[in-house]
Amino acid sequence: MDDFGTGQTSLSVLVQTNIDYLKIDKCFVDSVGHESVNAPIINAIINLAKELNVGLIAEGGVN
């Protein structure tokens, strides 16, 4: 599921679709390592992927 957590992707889609991976949007990835309100969201997405037994992809690169 591309750009999970933004746009047209919602939690209800998870029960309606077979998925193999969640891809975390770059806006969340860019905040890793910085004090941010996004940290609990990123942790929740990681835990959700673990619970759903799906892979996790972080969008973007290191600057």
Side-chain angles (χ1 to χ4, degrees):
M1 181 172 291
D2 190 22
D3 296 336
F4 179 71
T6 65
Q8 298 298 314
T9 58
S10 69
L11 293 175
S12 65
V13 172
L14 293 176
V15 297
Q16 301 168 359
T17 309
N18 290 327
I19 59 170
D20 296 318
Y21 295 91
L22 292 179
K23 184 171 128 186
I24 303 174
D25 190 78
K26 190 173 184 323
C27 70
F28 295 110
V29 175
D30 287 345
S31 67
V32 171
H34 303 283
E35 211 171 302
S36 168
V37 298
N38 287 340
I41 295 169
I42 294 169
N43 288 334
I45 294 172
I46 292 168
N47 289 328
L48 180 62
K50 287 179 184 177
E51 290 293 321
L52 293 173
N53 198 31
V54 299
L56 195 58
I57 299 171
E59 181 177 52
V62 177
N63 292 331

